[in-house]
Amino acid sequence: VDLFGGGNIDLKSAEIKDKPASLEITILFGGSELKLPESWSVQNQTIALFGGSDDKRDQAKVSTKDSESDLVITGIIIFGGLDIR
């Protein structure tokens, strides 16, 4: 939860045992950065009102080997933003 501020979550060295992992976020009047491994396939299911989320990773490096996502992101972003790097 990010309210009127900013936050960073670094999962670059994380490993997923049971796919897909899930992450629920709430961002209100703030911005957050989510750092993920380049190879993870991410399904972004966030809802944004006067804000947004953007996967800024090099899409050429994102794994497309299997149809199952590594991470599913859900939640709401209001007057804020989420950057996936």
Side-chain angles (χ1 to χ4, degrees):
V1 175
D2 180 6
L3 303 174
F4 294 98
N8 293 312
I9 300 172
D10 189 345
L11 298 176
K12 284 194 168 202
S13 60
E15 293 182 23
I16 299 173
K17 291 184 181 182
D18 295 318
K19 291 183 184 181
S22 63
L23 180 65
E24 183 176 347
I25 62 158
T26 301
I27 299 172
L28 179 62
F29 293 101
S32 291
E33 184 175 84
L34 177 59
K35 296 178 182 178
L36 301 176
E38 289 281 342
S39 63
W40 280 15
S41 173
V42 176
Q43 193 175 78
N44 186 350
Q45 298 178 348
T46 57
I47 297 170
L49 293 166
F50 301 104
S53 62
D54 190 22
D55 191 340
K56 297 186 175 188
R57 298 175 301 147
D58 183 354
Q59 295 303 305
K61 295 181 181 178
V62 173
S63 175
T64 57
K65 286 185 265 183
D66 51 28
S67 60
E68 188 172 34
S69 297
D70 293 298
L71 178 66
V72 177
I73 305 170
T74 59
I76 190 161
I77 302 165
I78 302 174
F79 290 102
L82 173 67
D83 283 339
I84 301 169
R85 297 189 182 269

